[in-house]
Each structure stands twice: as structure tokens, then as C-alpha cells.
Amino acid sequence: MKVLRFIRCVVPLSTLLWCALPARLSAQQQASEYIPEGLKAVQLPLRRPALPDINPATFFSPHRPTEAIDSARGGVEPGSSVGGIKEIIPDKYAERYLYWKNEFLSTESGRAQWELYNGRAHFILTITVTCDNPKGAGTGKFKWDDSGELIAATITLGCRIDEGYPKPIFYPVMSSLDPGDSSLAVDKNVLAAAKIAHEFGHVKHVTGVDGVLYRLQNKLTPLYNKILLGNGRNTNDPRLLELERQMNGTPVKIQQERELWGEANAMLYLRERITDGREQRALFNRIVRNVELYASDYVDRFESATK
């Protein structure tokens, strides 16, 4: 049974997740000395001191700083020769966003993903910050071209993503960062960067899915929920069974499937970032417990994230 195999392998998996990695520099060195020149923003310590004066124009869109933002605000057409990452960050959130971004880029996986999407000429990844959902984040506004290739996506970060912990049912990794009554407590910028990594996981996943099915699922989910609420929550309703067939799953299953792709990517970030042995063990044990309880059908996905 997958769950039992996962539990029996706690020690090897723990070694794989946290210990069987190349000897690495301190997080501070990773963030400041070993970020490629094209990715350097402003060199800041990861443990947040009093905020310095920062000019947002110095760190937006590292490869194409201000002109990329101006073009995005002007309505660049997805699929044009102007692609990459477009950071549209209101001035009032610019400083905190820089800390979150630097934290994400302090890991190899974060830098690799940033370079991947920033280097694509025919794909636009927009990143913005709002207070509509202050402690959460979301990825959407996906666009595909006529050949079915994903050409645009938008990551929307809450203005306070360095606060708040999601529930474990869909977020077994990020919920594990909640210290609760224990002494485990990660820096709030690590929490924010884990949420950014989660959203990058959505982009990575949707890049490889069938865009037609993805849009059909989004279209039919409200109808499914409306029927379910109106029929006394009878999931055996023939109408719901037909919608489930068309969507290739129920809305709850589809949402879990999508969110766990993001969680696997958050694990990639955390396995590199959390290097203290005590914190490693405490966090890993929580993740194992949450995956066992809430995502037992997806053990392989979390195991593959460590390879």
C-alpha cells in the first residue's frame, strides 16, 4: 500500500529530502554571492532588518527591467517577441516583494525556474501584488495559442503572503510551516517564498496540460456545484455523473490535483532552504503526517519531487 510504503521509508525519504543533497553554501551566500548576474536584484540580507531605501526600477524584471513593465502595462500581445517575466508591482508593495523574491531566488530551484520563464520569448508570465486576498496567492489568466501551447499566465500574490497558513487538506506542505504550539518557526519571508514556489508549480503544471480540458473544467465546475447544492448533495445524480465524466473528475478532486502540483514545487524550495537539522526533522515529520492524512493517493508525486 502506497501510504504504508511511504511511512516505512521515513528515514530514507528524510535522508533524500534533507541530507542527500550536495554540500551547499549558507542561504545568505546563495542569495547574495551565487545568484547569476542576470538574476541579481538588490543585495539584501534574508533575515529582514529595517528596510532600506529601494528604487523599484532597480529590481523589476532582471533581464528587461523597466521597458518590460512599460510594455506589459501597454498591453503586449501574448505570443509576441516580447516575452519573459513581467513584474507589475505597486510601489507601496515593492519593498516587501523584493524580500520575498530574493528569498525565492536563494535556492537553486527558484533560480532555475525564474530563468526558465524569464528566458522564453513567446510566453509572458506576469507577477503582481494586490490586497484582494492578502494572505493568499493564485495563478490564472492562462492563455493558449491556436496550436495549444501556453503563451501567458498571471501569478497574483497577496500583499501579506508572509502571514497566514493554509489548511492541510489541499496544502500538506505549506500548512506544515505553521508553528502551532511547537518551537518550529520559519522566517516570514520563507513562508512568502514557499507560496511563490507553490504558484510557480501551477505554471509548470499547466504548461503541460490539455488547455481545452483545463478550460472545460473551469467552465463546468460552477454548474456542477450548483446542481450539487440543489439536489441535497447527491453525488450520484446522473447530471453530476455526466459532468464528472466530461471534466475527468469532480471539482474537489480537480482542485486537489491542481493544488498538489503547487505543493510539490513548494517542497523543492523548502528542501533546499531549510538546512538546520532540528527544523528539517520537525518540518519533514509534519509533511509526512499531512500527506498520509490528506494526500495519500499522491505519495509518488512528493517522492518524485525529491529526486
Side-chain angles (χ1 to χ4, degrees):
M1 185 175 178
K2 287 185 177 180
V3 177
L4 294 179
R5 176 169 59 85
F6 186 52
I7 297 172
R8 286 197 300 269
C9 295
V10 165
V11 175
L13 273 177
S14 179
T15 301
L16 183 60
L17 275 169
W18 307 117
C19 303
L21 297 171
R24 45 171 97 78
L25 303 164
S26 69
Q28 177 63 42
Q29 288 174 310
Q30 288 181 344
S32 60
E33 297 178 19
Y34 288 85
I35 295 177
E37 287 297 325
L39 287 177
K40 283 186 178 179
V42 175
Q43 299 309 314
L44 299 173
L46 291 175
R47 298 288 176 179
R48 184 171 184 168
L51 287 171
D53 292 330
I54 299 174
N55 177 7
T58 64
F59 68 87
F60 282 122
S61 296
H63 294 321
R64 290 172 296 281
T66 54
E67 64 271 18
I69 296 175
D70 293 339
S71 296
R73 287 172 175 163
V76 174
E77 286 297 323
S80 70
S81 60
V82 180
I85 295 178
K86 316 298 183 184
E87 296 165 283
I88 305 177
I89 313 298
D91 291 344
K92 59 184 176 180
Y93 306 134
E95 292 180 349
R96 71 187 72 176
Y97 170 75
L98 175 55
Y99 282 106
W100 304 339
K101 173 182 172 180
N102 271 358
E103 179 59 69
F104 179 59
L105 295 179
S106 72
T107 62
E108 292 180 10
S109 61
R111 295 192 295 275
Q113 291 176 58
W114 191 278
E115 288 181 307
L116 173 64
Y117 297 114
N118 206 40
R120 290 189 176 180
H122 302 291
F123 175 79
I124 296 175
L125 175 57
T126 301
I127 302 177
T128 189
V129 178
T130 76
C131 259
D132 293 342
N133 180 21
K135 298 179 183 180
T139 302
K141 298 184 179 179
F142 296 110
K143 294 183 180 179
W144 289 264
D145 63 16
D146 292 340
S147 67
E149 180 180 358
L150 186 69
I151 56 175
T154 296
I155 292 176
T156 302
L157 305 174
C159 61
R160 292 163 55 197
I161 58 168
D162 53 3
E163 303 174 25
Y165 304 91
K167 299 297 183 182
I169 185 169
F170 291 140
Y171 308 96
V173 175
M174 287 197 295
S175 64
S176 301
L177 295 172
D178 185 351
D181 297 328
S182 75
S183 59
L184 174 65
V186 301
D187 187 280
K188 65 180 183 179
N189 291 321
V190 172
L191 172 62
K195 292 179 181 180
I196 292 173
H198 177 99
E199 299 309 323
F200 267 78
H202 283 306
V203 177
K204 179 180 178 181
H205 169 60
V206 176
T207 299
V209 304
D210 180 352
V212 174
L213 175 60
Y214 192 94
R215 285 172 286 186
L216 181 64
Q217 290 171 338
N218 290 347
K219 179 180 179 180
L220 295 182
T221 290
L223 176 59
Y224 184 103
N225 292 335
K226 181 179 180 180
I227 294 174
L228 183 65
L229 292 174
N231 72 358
R233 300 184 181 274
N234 175 18
T235 56
N236 292 318
D237 187 315
R239 295 170 297 174
L240 296 184
L241 294 176
E242 174 58 22
L243 289 173
E244 181 179 345
R245 183 192 66 78
Q246 294 182 45
M247 293 190 294
N248 196 26
T250 65
V252 170
K253 194 68 174 177
I254 290 168
Q255 182 182 355
Q256 183 184 40
E257 167 76 15
R258 293 178 179 181
E259 296 300 342
L260 291 180
W261 282 113
E263 289 295 271
N265 206 54
M267 177 178 279
L268 281 177
Y269 162 74
L270 289 170
R271 78 166 190 176
E272 294 182 48
R273 182 60 180 87
I274 306 299
T275 57
D276 176 81
R278 182 189 61 82
E279 290 185 348
Q280 289 174 357
R281 289 188 294 273
L283 179 59
F284 178 78
N285 287 336
R286 289 184 178 192
I287 293 174
V288 169
R289 182 174 64 251
N290 285 341
V291 170
E292 173 196 352
L293 290 175
Y294 302 105
S296 59
D297 291 341
Y298 298 91
V299 169
D300 290 345
R301 182 172 302 178
F302 290 94
E303 289 180 334
S304 65
T306 67
K307 296 177 181 179

